[in-house]
Amino acid sequence: MALTPELIESFSEAVLNSRYDNPQPTPEFHKKVWDYCCSDHKQVAIAAPRGHAKSTAGTLAYPLTALLFGYKDFVLILSNTEKQASSFLLTIFSELADNELLIEMFGKMRFLTESKSEIIVQMEDGRKFCVMARGATQSMRGAKWGHKRPDLVVFDDVEDDDTVANQEVRNGFKQHVLSMVLPIGGDTADIRIFGTILHLDSMLENYTPEYQVPEEIKDKEQYLVREDLCTY
């Protein structure tokens, strides 16, 4: 049985929502993110303006649900720097270690490995999973768990102002992602890319199709705004 957006939403509302600052009902945008994340497409890119809590939906609730319910067992989180990627990992670690509702539901977690860039977790039933954090421009060598490749790779804001500064830098970064990063999961990993478009020739802009706003989404105009665009 496949992971569903309904399961992610239920888990998020029951276990994670009370831990957020100023908890709110699940926004429609998050539901649509989870629809795309749970699709059969191996590669999905989602772009939205800042302020939409993309990381909450795509880099916390989605992979955490997939790990805890046994749909994934090795998640690689990438961001523009290892420090930023590690902050996403720390959020996942905090939920596993301190969320009382999560522990009540799944049991106390045993951390076999615990560092800023990697955790290996053993659940009470003996099942293990791994989460690693890397900077997108780092070498991907060593991004394996034993002999396993990641079965879910999450990109979260891998581009910054420096990455899109000029055409040479943009092309170099895109070539690095294509040749060194995307292949890390082999043919079986799900690739999920989240971010804000910073340039009309950025990697995220290249990977996202023409804007297609679902009919059921209200206030469609806000999804047509491309924020933080620069002209060079």
Side-chain angles (χ1 to χ4, degrees), residues 33-49:
V33 166
W34 296 329
D35 279 341
Y36 288 133
C37 287
C38 294
S39 72
D40 293 332
H41 296 289
K42 302 306 292 180
Q43 298 183 5
V44 173
I46 297 173

Side-chain angles (χ1 to χ4, degrees), residues 6 49 67 78 82 87 108 120-121 136 143 154 158 167 189 207 212 224 226 228:
E6 291 78 16
L67 289 165
L78 303 173
E82 183 174 355
S87 72
K108 191 169 182 62
I120 299 175
V121 182
V154 176
V158 296
Q167 185 173 357
Y207 283 179
Q212 299 178 17
L224 302 179
R226 299 187 179 192
D228 303 313

Side-chain angles (χ1 to χ4, degrees), residues 74-92:
F74 183 10
V75 174
L76 175 63
I77 299 174
L78 303 173
S79 194
N80 63 316
T81 65
E82 183 174 355
K83 181 178 180 181
Q84 180 62 33
S86 296
S87 72
F88 296 133
L89 174 60
L90 178 60
T91 302
I92 290 175

Side-chain angles (χ1 to χ4, degrees), residues 46-60:
I46 297 173
R50 290 193 171 101
H52 281 64
K54 298 181 293 294
S55 296
T56 299
T59 313
L60 176 60

Side-chain angles (χ1 to χ4, degrees), residues 113-133:
T113 297
E114 180 184 334
S115 72
K116 291 181 179 180
S117 61
E118 179 180 355
I119 58 173
I120 299 175
V121 182
Q122 183 173 28
M123 301 180 67
E124 283 194 344
D125 63 4
R127 189 170 62 84
K128 300 176 184 177
F129 60 80
C130 176
V131 187
M132 287 187 183

Side-chain angles (χ1 to χ4, degrees), residues 50 55 59 77-88 133-140 154-164 173 176-177 194-196 198 203:
R50 290 193 171 101
S55 296
T59 313
I77 299 174
L78 303 173
S79 194
N80 63 316
T81 65
E82 183 174 355
K83 181 178 180 181
Q84 180 62 33
S86 296
S87 72
F88 296 133
R134 293 286 189 276
T137 58
Q138 287 182 258
S139 170
M140 292 298 114
V154 176
F155 292 62
D156 193 326
D157 282 336
V158 296
E159 295 177 293
D160 59 16
D161 290 340
D162 291 334
T163 310
V164 300
F173 179 72
H176 169 73
V177 171
F194 308 102
T196 297
L198 302 179
M203 181 200 74

